[in-house]
Each structure stands twice: as structure tokens, then as C-alpha cells.
Amino acid sequence: MTFSLVLTEERLYAKEHCCSEMSEQVNMSALDAKSPLLGSTDKRIYWSPVFNEYGLICQPSAEVLQIQHCPFCGVRLPESRRDQWFERLESKGWKTWGDPIPNELLSHEWK
């Protein structure tokens, strides 16, 4: 079981995903109830633009269980870019979570 990593300063980015149901969940912006870390408690799917990871939001906790297939259409989701992101981050001198993360690495365009 792998949990998704949620970067609190990650920039949001709306896009079309594998199917309309996934796009609706991931791009949800009408937030009725709030979770301090993840936004709407109506939202059930988390997508990280930085890592290109998808996950099921486990409410009421702030845990996100990483998924490899769309729960709506069954298509295989793209590979995570988490390992490549950490390699790039470390190449910039980053050592620990106390170190600042460069702004260019908090966007989906970092690659």
C-alpha cells in the first residue's frame, strides 16, 4: 500500500483526465465542506500535478491512498514522477523537509 505525498504549496492545475468522471472529481472547485489539507470533503480523488499521482482521499483523515487505475473507467493511470522529482530536488541541494522547496518544483511544469 502506497500513500500519495501531498505538498501543501503545490500549485493547482485543472486539466482533462482519463474520463469525464475523473476530471469532475479531480478538478472539483465548488467546495462545500472543507478539510484543512485537501480542500473539499466532497472530493474523493486527489491528483498531484507535480508528481502526476492519483489517490483516494481517506476522510476524515488527511491520508491519500495512491491508485494505479481509474475507479470510474478502469484505465491504467500514468506512472508517478515522484522519484524523478526527488532526484531533481536533491540535485538543487535540498537535504531535509526543513529546507525550502524551489518554486519551479511546485508546478506541473517542473520537468
Side-chain angles (χ1 to χ4, degrees):
M1 184 178 323
T2 304
F3 290 93
S4 290
L5 182 63
V6 178
L7 298 172
T8 56
E9 300 198 19
E10 181 174 12
R11 291 183 216 125
L12 299 178
Y13 173 71
K15 74 169 199 146
E16 292 300 311
H17 296 270
C18 56
C19 64
S20 61
E21 290 88 353
M22 181 67 98
S23 294
E24 182 179 331
Q25 267 295 309
V26 169
N27 297 327
M28 184 180 285
S29 62
L31 309 176
D32 294 331
K34 297 273 190 175
S35 162
L37 182 61
L38 298 168
S40 172
T41 55
D42 297 328
K43 188 174 185 171
R44 298 289 178 239
I45 305 289
Y46 172 75
W47 173 64
S48 167
V50 168
F51 301 132
N52 204 26
E53 286 181 350
Y54 294 81
L56 296 175
I57 298 170
C58 303
Q59 294 289 356
S61 73
E63 295 174 339
V64 178
L65 180 62
Q66 191 174 349
I67 57 176
Q68 281 73 42
H69 292 84
C70 175
F72 305 107
C73 70
V75 73
R76 178 139 178 91
L77 298 169
E79 292 296 318
S80 169
R81 299 184 314 194
R82 186 192 309 200
D83 291 342
Q84 296 91 338
W85 185 84
F86 273 103
E87 288 171 8
R88 176 74 59 85
L89 184 63
E90 289 168 356
S91 76
K92 294 189 172 287
W94 185 87
K95 301 280 186 225
T96 69
W97 283 111
D99 294 344
I101 297 173
N103 281 333
E104 69 267 16
L105 292 179
L106 292 172
S107 165
H108 72 285
E109 298 172 324
W110 68 267
K111 46 183 182 165

